[in-house]
Amino acid sequence: MHSPSRARLPKLSAILAFETAARTGSLARAADTLALTAAAVSQQIRQLEQHLGITLFIRAKSGVTLTEQGADYLAYVQEAFETLRVAQQHVERQRGKQALTVFALPALASKWLNPALGDWLAQCPDGDLRLHATHAAVDFAHSAADFALCFGDQDYPLLEKVRLFQDRVQPVCSPALRDRGDWTQLPLIHVDWGKESQFLPGWHEWFTAADRMPPARRGLTYNLTSLAIDAAVQGRGVLLGQRRLIARELAEGRLVTLAEPALPLSKPYYVVYPPRTLEKPGAAAFLGWLQALALAAST
C-alpha cells in the first residue's frame, strides 16, 4: 500500500516548475517564465523530487539536464498538460471563441506579416486573427498563442515547426541620400540585437565580404529593426536592410539598393505551434498561407 506522501498528487506548482525547467533547460529561464526566483523554482523541484522519491535533473552551472527517470516523468506531465489545454480549447470552442492568436517578433509582424494580412482576410473573410508583437519567447502553456513566428527554433525544441525563410541583408538608403555621392562616406545605421547580434551580419562583415576597407564606425544604432528601417527611409544613414522586411519600401522606391553582396542571416525564421493548434478552425489554412507567403520570391 502506498504511503500518504506517494498516494496524493504533488503540488501543481511544483509540477509546473519542473516542466518549465525541463523545457527551457535552465532554472533561471524557468524562473523568468514563471515570474519567480531561481531559488523558488529550485525549491519546488526539490520538493517534487522528494515527493516522487527520484532525481529529476542533473544540475550544472550551464543549466539542468533530465535524468532518465526525469525524462520518463516529463512525458507524462506534458501529456497531462496537453490534455488540459485540449479541454480548455474545447470549452472555448463551445463558447464560440475561435480566434487564431499569432505571436511574432515586432519587425517581422510590422514589416512582413501585417502588410500581407489583407490577402489573408480576402481568402478568409470570416477569420478572426489576433496579432501580438513581442521579443519574448512564447509560453504556449500559459498564453493564448496558437502560432509564434520566431528567429531560429532553439527556444521551442518540443513544438511543431515549419521553416519560413532565411533572410539576407544588403546596403540600402533613401534615393535622396544615394544622390549625395559615395555612400561609403555617409553615416551608417547599425542594429543591435543583443545576444542575437552574432546571427545578424553587421557592417564589418559586409565590407569584409565585399573586399573593401571598413570605414570608421559612425551613425545611429537601434535595438529595433523597424526603427532602423524607418531611419533609413528618412535619410538618416545607410542600412544593412533585411530584404524580406524592406520589400515594401523597395517596391515603393522609398529605399534603393546600393551594392552587392547580400549576406544571409545565420538562422532562418520559423513558425512554431503545438499540435493542438491545428484542431482549431482555420488554423491549417493559415499555416498553409504563411508557407505560401514565405515561398514568394523575395524582391
Side-chain angles (χ1 to χ4, degrees):
M1 183 174 179
H2 290 298
S3 66
S5 64
R6 298 292 192 271
R8 70 177 189 274
L9 289 173
K11 292 182 179 179
L12 183 58
S13 59
I15 298 175
L16 182 58
F18 161 68
E19 190 273 340
T20 306
R23 176 162 43 82
T24 61
S26 164
L27 296 181
R29 286 194 289 271
D32 289 341
T33 300
L34 298 172
L36 298 171
T37 65
V41 171
S42 178
Q43 182 181 18
Q44 289 185 336
I45 293 173
R46 290 193 184 281
Q47 289 175 350
L48 180 61
E49 289 176 323
Q50 292 172 1
H51 185 100
L52 298 173
I54 61 175
T55 300
L56 296 169
F57 288 118
I58 299 171
R59 294 162 173 82
K61 290 183 179 179
S62 59
V64 291
T65 304
L66 286 165
T67 63
E68 183 175 350
Q69 289 178 308
D72 288 342
Y73 187 62
L74 176 64
Y76 287 104
V77 167
Q78 290 178 328
E79 183 177 357
F81 280 167
E82 186 64 18
T83 299
L84 290 174
R85 286 190 284 269
V86 170
Q88 179 68 23
Q89 183 174 305
H90 174 74
V91 170
E92 291 181 351
R93 181 182 297 115
Q94 295 302 107
R95 294 171 59 187
K97 295 182 178 179
Q98 285 303 301
L100 288 176
T101 302
V102 181
F103 281 61
L105 295 168
L108 199 62
S110 64
K111 298 295 185 179
W112 182 71
L113 181 58
N114 197 48
L117 284 181
D119 176 65
W120 164 249
L121 294 175
Q123 294 185 33
C124 186
D126 296 327
D128 187 0
L129 187 71
R130 300 175 183 175
L131 181 58
H132 294 259
T134 179
H135 282 110
V138 178
D139 183 356
F140 285 88
H142 303 97
S143 73
D146 296 305
F147 294 104
L149 276 58
C150 52
F151 181 55
D153 62 347
Q154 65 283 343
D155 291 330
Y156 307 97
L158 304 178
L159 295 179
E160 301 294 322
K161 62 202 69 173
V162 174
R163 185 184 186 277
L164 293 175
F165 59 86
Q166 188 156 1
D167 212 350
R168 300 170 294 140
V169 295
Q170 189 173 5
V172 296
C173 72
S174 67
L177 206 59
R178 176 195 55 187
D179 295 341
R180 287 173 53 179
D182 183 2
W183 67 267
T184 64
Q185 302 305 309
L186 297 172
L188 302 178
I189 296 174
H190 306 269
V191 180
D192 182 2
W193 279 2
K195 66 179 181 179
E196 295 289 339
S197 289
Q198 60 182 311
F199 304 108
L200 176 69
W203 280 114
H204 181 81
E205 289 84 359
W206 187 89
F207 277 102
T208 299
D211 196 23
R212 300 189 188 191
M213 181 66 67
R217 181 185 177 93
R218 61 188 184 280
L220 297 167
T221 299
Y222 296 93
N223 73 327
L224 294 178
T225 300
S226 56
L227 289 178
I229 294 172
D230 291 343
V233 169
Q234 293 163 12
R236 295 178 184 169
V238 181
L239 171 69
L240 274 180
Q242 290 183 237
R243 295 289 308 226
R244 292 292 186 119
L245 303 189
I246 61 173
R248 182 173 49 171
E249 286 79 4
L250 289 173
E252 295 174 353
R254 291 184 288 147
L255 288 177
V256 293
T257 58
L258 296 169
E260 295 286 349
L263 300 183
L265 277 65
S266 297
K267 293 191 293 188
Y269 288 93
Y270 287 86
V271 55
V272 299
Y273 57 94
R276 60 182 167 82
T277 289
L278 296 188
E279 297 179 11
K280 296 185 73 170
F286 182 75
L287 179 61
W289 176 81
L290 273 180
Q291 290 176 272
L293 180 63
L295 288 173
S298 61
T299 57

